[in-house]
Amino acid sequence: MAVATQGTASNYLQRAPSPSGLADVVDLILDKGLVIDAYVRIAVIGIELITIDARIVIASVDTYLRFAEAVNRLDLAQTEKAGIDQLREGGGKAKDKAKGAAEGVKEKLGGPNGSSRD
Amino acid sequence: MGFLTGLLLLPLAPVRGTIWLAERLMEVAEREVDSEATFKRLLVEAEIAFEAGELSEAEYEQVEDELLERLELARREGEGR
Amino acid sequence: MSATVTEAPAYVYGVSWADVVLGDAQGIGEASVRAVEHGELAALVSELPSADVRARRRDLLRHAEVLQQAFEQSTVLPLGFGTVFESDGDVVADLLEPRYEELVALLQSLDGLVELTVRALYDEAGVLAMIVGDEPRIAALRGSNNPADQVALGEAVSQALAERRARDGDEIVASLSSLAREVAVEERVAEFEVVRAAFLVGRSAVDEFDAKAEDLARRHNGVIRFKLTGPLPPHHFVSEQWAS
């Protein structure tokens, strides 16, 4: 996939025309969309589960030590270069999942201007 | 339980990335999926690991399915089925 | 093309205009997707092999994909995952017919609008390097062998990360919101997540939105990874106006 050879228009953003992984799709179709009282919900996705406050886990000493370890292991001379290289190469799989999406986003244009939503 | 724990017992995980990532994957493998919020968090942790190269795409997909199963299990237990 | 009326359980993906063109995506359990029409409306439906279905990732992805394909040609009201009626007849009798005016109004209000979702994740090494660079105190604590220093270091990093995350998240949402009709910001669920948000955008503004997201990605290169998904049917933007 010719990522690096594209112009500056699309070097940095990872695009997907539609959800490619579960982490994308759960935000769209769990507890989203129209909710209909119907015959049965496919009751495997825990829609009725009690939702605990979705705050990030409260930090503990364990967490602090892990942060310390991560920071201690940083090779600062390498990090900036590595960070940029990582992104250019698409971080491994991530760009492979994009499926040539830059063109996909633009091809869907051309519809009428949206009416105001009030 | 299951697939991910087995994967992490192999001496490969720390080699591919930071120890932090391996520990987070361990949490994904072991943490009880007691709510949709936890499910989402473990899913994102697995996604981060996948994007960092810790998991192959096939492995990642298997983790996704496993998390779904555990969410379902927790839900059924919660309802006392 | 009208649907064959069956008595089998009907899984419903969404509602669209009756002239909706279905793609070739297979539905849940490999069933074929069809349109159940009523007046100007059509429900997107497939026959469920049995009521006892355990959803797998492919089913969730299929639900989204069926909607996505219909959305290429028509306005679509997405349903949440897992809505099943006893039959096609019930889809009409219990949904399309009694809620007809509401559904038509909702569809009309969404004509020409799309959803774009943005997710931003920190590159772990990249953001930690920024934090170390920003705070001399943190830089000084690195490499100390004193366990108490390590805890203090970790706590300081954790705090700095939380502050940076909030700032970056706000900046990203503010920047993109200027092009959106509506915005829905989700709760973060992981420490290295910056933001996850959905934007309702007029189709004609999609290019500009894309360019703005690209610019953000460029400016944060090495520290934040951006993922833009869409145009999507308005999953985040239908339920508020709908009383179930």
Side-chain angles (χ1 to χ4, degrees):
Chain A
M1 184 167 218
V3 170
T5 54
Q6 289 179 16
T8 52
S10 53
N11 256 355
Y12 302 98
L13 182 63
Q14 180 188 341
R15 294 174 178 82
S18 60
S20 51
L22 205 57
D24 297 326
V25 91
V26 294
D27 267 351
L28 300 179
I29 65 180
L30 294 189
D31 289 341
K32 297 294 183 308
L34 298 182
V35 176
I36 314 287
D37 285 331
Y39 160 50
V40 65
R41 307 293 299 274
I42 297 180
V44 295
I45 307 297
I47 294 164
E48 291 86 39
L49 275 184
I50 296 161
T51 314
I52 299 173
D53 183 2
R55 301 252 169 242
I56 293 160
V57 174
I58 292 167
S60 62
V61 171
D62 249 1
T63 311
Y64 294 155
L65 288 174
R66 277 198 247 167
F67 271 122
E69 178 172 20
V71 165
N72 284 328
R73 287 170 136 254
L74 278 181
D75 178 350
L76 288 178
Q78 281 298 310
T79 300
E80 206 177 281
K81 180 180 185 300
I84 292 171
D85 285 346
Q86 189 175 36
L87 288 171
R88 289 287 169 93
E89 283 147 20
K93 312 353 182 221
K95 287 237 170 103
D96 290 338
K97 292 173 96 179
K99 298 174 194 139
E103 292 74 29
V105 169
K106 295 182 197 311
E107 266 161 15
K108 290 185 161 69
L109 297 182
N113 287 338
S115 50
S116 92
R117 245 195 124 208
D118 298 316
Chain B
M1 68 184 306
F3 173 77
L4 188 52
T5 310
L7 191 67
L8 290 171
L9 290 176
L10 300 175
L12 290 176
V15 173
R16 283 193 262 184
T18 66
I19 289 178
W20 180 302
L21 271 173
E23 286 186 1
R24 290 215 292 253
L25 281 178
M26 193 62 84
E27 197 202 353
V28 173
E30 294 176 345
R31 169 95 200 239
E32 188 195 344
V33 180
D34 55 2
S35 70
E36 199 172 297
T38 304
F39 166 75
K40 278 191 184 181
R41 185 166 64 79
L42 297 179
L43 194 57
V44 172
E45 297 286 7
E47 182 189 32
I48 290 172
F50 166 63
E51 303 223 340
E54 281 278 325
L55 296 172
S56 73
E57 184 151 13
E59 287 164 350
Y60 176 44
E61 290 180 6
Q62 212 159 332
V63 171
E64 288 180 333
D65 265 333
E66 196 175 297
L67 286 173
L68 280 174
E69 271 186 50
R70 284 153 61 190
L71 182 65
E72 175 188 2
L73 199 65
R75 200 200 62 78
R76 287 199 176 147
E77 284 171 5
E79 288 192 354
R81 278 198 206 171
Chain C
M1 184 166 61
S2 58
T4 312
V5 177
T6 69
E7 286 303 309
Y11 182 96
V12 185
Y13 301 83
V15 177
S16 183
W17 298 119
D19 59 0
V20 64
V21 174
L22 300 174
D24 54 9
Q26 287 202 304
I28 309 286
E30 257 96 288
S32 60
V33 181
R34 53 208 158 70
V36 171
E37 294 182 22
H38 180 71
E40 291 179 72
L41 299 177
L44 306 178
V45 162
S46 69
E47 181 176 321
L48 205 60
S50 76
D52 180 30
V53 173
R54 299 173 72 220
R56 286 294 153 256
R57 64 181 300 279
R58 64 171 178 270
D59 300 312
L60 297 177
L61 290 169
R62 274 198 190 150
H63 178 107
E65 186 60 24
V66 165
L67 292 169
Q68 188 72 18
Q69 290 192 2
F71 184 61
E72 290 190 20
Q73 306 287 341
S74 184
T75 312
V76 172
L77 303 178
L79 264 64
F81 185 84
T83 308
V84 182
F85 288 83
E86 277 194 64
S87 66
D88 288 6
D90 279 8
V91 174
V92 174
D94 295 344
L95 174 61
L96 296 181
E97 200 268 320
R99 316 293 297 257
Y100 188 80
E101 275 84 20
E102 285 173 83
L103 289 166
V104 167
L106 195 47
L107 266 174
Q108 284 172 340
S109 75
L110 289 165
D111 275 336
L113 299 178
V114 307
E115 174 170 322
L116 293 164
T117 68
V118 173
R119 295 182 60 217
L121 292 174
Y122 278 126
D123 178 88
E124 184 177 311
V127 70
L128 292 179
M130 294 289 285
I131 285 171
V132 170
D134 280 352
E135 310 222 6
R137 188 174 140 245
I138 287 177
L141 283 169
R142 281 179 86 212
S144 161
N145 288 324
N146 182 340
D149 278 350
Q150 289 305 297
V151 176
L153 170 61
E155 187 176 10
V157 170
S158 170
Q159 178 71 17
L161 180 65
E163 286 168 10
R164 177 173 280 270
R165 194 170 54 211
R167 245 186 0 252
D168 285 341
D170 287 349
E171 177 213 332
I172 291 164
V173 171
S175 172
L176 295 170
S177 292
S178 61
L179 294 171
R181 309 289 181 98
E182 288 179 39
V183 186
V185 182
E186 300 265 1
E187 290 260 22
R188 296 177 197 95
V189 292
E191 276 158 347
F192 286 93
E193 221 179 350
V194 183
V195 72
R196 48 166 79 206
F199 300 84
L200 187 67
V201 174
R203 277 195 189 267
S204 57
V206 170
D207 265 348
E208 206 184 333
F209 189 97
D210 185 289
K212 211 158 203 192
E214 173 66 33
D215 185 61
L216 281 169
R218 183 189 51 77
R219 281 197 274 120
H220 291 278
N221 186 33
V223 179
I224 302 178
R225 242 179 264 126
F226 285 80
K227 184 173 188 179
L228 172 67
T229 308
L232 299 167
H235 297 271
H236 278 80
F237 301 104
V238 291
S239 51
E240 268 179 20
Q241 303 183 334
W242 179 260
S244 79

